[in-house]
């Protein structure tokens, strides 16, 4: 599932970059994809050789069938850890690439510039000079870096589960980049806002409880050890899409109208869809005067996909942001808990 997730992320990035004509960004993303493919192929080939060696020992009677099965399982788990570590490094490269794109460090050819060259007649000759007008409009499509954070919890049948999870201690974080396209040529009100985000949803169970998997059910159970902290984290890569209403007034100079964004009141309505890339539980406790921190990774029966509704309202770069998952957190739990988040969002041009 993790390899499929990584490939899907790369394909999403390639699709976005292709649509927007960002050839430099696309080539770097392809290099990362090739690196990930090479990692998985090499490690799987090594695992195959190791398993064949175990089969030889079994056929020669040096080990029993039970010992062979145990050894194969250990080898598979070890290779999975190695693959995850190497792929994580590639993921970090991917995150750096996205950040470079957001920061404008990856150059791209663009024939549309804010400071355009104008040719005018000065009675005697032609001159190429920059426009002296100090008011400049934005391109019809602009990009923003997005960061959001706030409170996170779940809901069941419309009721907040703040008795199961700490209201103040449960948080969400989201960062990524968006593109903002003005939908009408001569009107600044309506914009399509779309992009790619990394989303962290954290919930902290109350009453010394943690999650325990029992078949297809994932339940909260009281821990035998007194916990200093119990935290359950899910990480998603999502594609958010919003219809944004921007009330920034256009500026008029020398008979020309110039459009800007994120300079007045605005709000957006839309949603998001994505995939789960990691689920883990973090437990902290004291024992024999020693501090312990245990991180347990697994699928915890969490839904592999996520989709929901989101909206924001604010002024200039800062907005109040709410998002709500339409599908439950766990796949087959008898009680359907759906994630809900409320916080602040920054859209930086």
């Amino acid at each position: 599932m993790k390899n499929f997730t990584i490939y899907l992320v790369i394909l999403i990035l390639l699709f976005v970059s292709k649509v927007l004509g960002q050839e430099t960004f696309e080539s770097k993303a392809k290099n990362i994809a090739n690196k990930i493919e090479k990692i998985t192929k090499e490690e799987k080939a090594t695992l195959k050789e190791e398993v064949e060696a175990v089969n030889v020992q079994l056929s020669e009677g040096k080990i029993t069938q039970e010992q062979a099965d145990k050894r194969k399982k250990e080898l598979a788990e070890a290779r999975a850890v190695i693959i995850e570590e190497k792929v994580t490094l590639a993921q970090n490269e991917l995150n750096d690439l996205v950040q470079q794109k957001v920061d404008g460090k990856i150059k791209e050819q663009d024939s549309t510039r804010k400071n355009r060259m104008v040719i005018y007649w000065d009675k005697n000759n032609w001159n190429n000079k920059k426009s002296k007008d100090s008011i400049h409009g934005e391109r019809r499509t602009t990009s923003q870096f997005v960061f959001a954070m706030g409170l996170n919890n779940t809901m069941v049948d419309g009721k907040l589960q703040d008795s199961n999870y700490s209201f103040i201690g449960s948080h969400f974080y989201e960062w990524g980049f968006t593109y903002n396209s003005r939908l009408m040529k001569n009107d600044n009100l309506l914009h399509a806002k779309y992009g790619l985000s990394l989303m962290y949803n954290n919930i902290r169970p109350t009453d010394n409880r943690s999650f325990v998997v029992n078949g297809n059910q994932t339940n909260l159970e009281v821990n035998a050890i007194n916990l200093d902290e119990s935290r359950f984290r899910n990480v998603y890569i999502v594609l958010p899409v919003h219809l944004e209403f921007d009330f920034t007034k256009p500026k008029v100079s020398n008979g020309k109208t110039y459009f800007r964004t994120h300079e007045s009141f605005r709000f957006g309505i839309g949603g998001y869809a994505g995939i789960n890339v990691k689920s883990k539980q973090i437990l902290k406790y004291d024992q024999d005067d020693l501090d312990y921190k245990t991180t347990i990774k697994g699928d915890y029966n969490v839904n592999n996909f996520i989709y929901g509704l989101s909206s924001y309202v604010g002024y200039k770069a800062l907005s109040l942001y709410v998002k709500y998952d339409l599908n439950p957190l766990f796949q087959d739990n008898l009680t359907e808990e759906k994630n809900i988040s409320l916080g602040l969002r920054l859209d930086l041009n």
Side-chain angles (χ1 to χ4, degrees), residues 276-293:
N276 176 281
V277 295
K278 184 182 296 184
S279 296
K280 66 179 180 180
Q281 188 163 216
I282 302 168
L283 305 177
K284 294 182 180 180
Y285 55 93
D286 298 329
Q287 195 171 44
D288 299 328
D289 294 327
L290 296 174
D291 294 330
Y292 292 91
K293 178 182 178 180

Side-chain angles (χ1 to χ4, degrees), residues 147-164:
F147 176 74
M149 64 179 296
L151 302 178
N152 194 67
N153 217 292
T154 68
M155 297 190 73
V156 176
D157 296 329
K159 296 180 180 179
L160 191 67
Q161 300 299 292
D162 54 342
S163 61
N164 284 333

Side-chain angles (χ1 to χ4, degrees), residues 146-192:
V146 176
F147 176 74
M149 64 179 296
L151 302 178
N152 194 67
N153 217 292
T154 68
M155 297 190 73
V156 176
D157 296 329
K159 296 180 180 179
L160 191 67
Q161 300 299 292
D162 54 342
S163 61
N164 284 333
Y165 311 110
S166 171
F167 181 76
I168 299 299
S170 300
H171 307 123
F172 84 94
Y173 304 92
E174 180 180 342
W175 58 87
F177 67 90
T178 61
Y179 289 93
N180 190 331
S181 297
R182 191 171 76 248
L183 294 180
M184 292 178 283
K185 183 179 180 180
N186 298 314
D187 192 283
N188 199 42
L189 180 62
L190 296 179
H191 295 255

